Structures are given as structure tokens and as C-alpha cells.
Amino acid sequence: MTKNEQWEAALTDAQRATLAEWRARDFSQLANDDYPDPDDATRFITRVWDRTVVTPCPLQTNGKRQVFNPTLKVCDFSENVSIDDNPAFRE
């Protein structure tokens, strides 16, 4: 069994459903670049070499995750990002 198969076998049913939903999404029309995750402001989507990678932003010192700033195309402190910048952001 490969490491990926081991990882998938350890998922809960809810995690499997989320993974299946993500795999069903079609990001192929996006150009190679970074995009805000439409469901979660603390993650971003990278299209590179016709592949899709979802990456979480790092934790801040207060334990909260940074949010993706689509203007700067980086993870940033939440006070620097507004809902106008990233529609998935909810203060």
C-alpha cells in the first residue's frame, strides 16, 4: 500500500466526502496562478503545470490561521484582508 493509499484509508467518512467533493471540482479552466479558496479564506488554490494544489495558510502567534490575500497573492494577517478582497473571508 502506498503512503497516499494509507493516508486515504485513515480518513473519516466526512473527510472522504470533502476529498471527493474537491476532486469533483473542475479547476482546469484556471490559469497557472494562486487563487482564494471559494469556501475557506484560510486556504488558497495553486494551479501549476495543469495540477491543482490546495494549501492552508500558516498559523499566527495567536493560534488563528492567516487568510489568503488575493491582491498580494500571499497569506496575510486577517486585519489586512477585507471581504472585498477575499469573499470567503468572514470576520
Side-chain angles (χ1 to χ4, degrees), residues 30-47 53-60 64-90:
L30 297 177
N32 288 342
D33 204 350
D34 293 328
Y35 299 91
D37 182 318
D39 301 321
D40 187 344
T42 65
R43 299 185 304 204
F44 62 97
I45 299 164
T46 300
R47 285 286 298 165
V53 179
V54 179
T55 307
C57 290
L59 290 172
Q60 302 176 118
K64 291 184 176 181
R65 287 216 174 268
Q66 291 183 349
V67 297
F68 184 69
N69 183 331
T71 304
L72 300 176
K73 302 222 184 242
V74 296
C75 291
D76 201 349
F77 294 104
S78 57
E79 58 268 16
N80 297 334
V81 180
S82 73
I83 196 164
D84 294 330
D85 296 326
N86 187 339
F89 179 58
R90 309 275 190 282

Side-chain angles (χ1 to χ4, degrees), residues 2 12 14 18 24 29 34 40-41 48-49 61 63 72 77-78 89:
T2 68
T12 65
T18 300
Q29 75 279 6
D34 293 328
D40 187 344
V48 62
W49 297 328
T61 55
L72 300 176
F77 294 104
S78 57
F89 179 58

Side-chain angles (χ1 to χ4, degrees), residues 4 7-8 11 17-27:
N4 195 37
W7 176 81
E8 286 193 31
L11 294 176
T18 300
L19 182 60
E21 179 184 325
W22 267 99
R23 286 182 172 159
R25 289 185 179 196
D26 182 15
F27 294 107

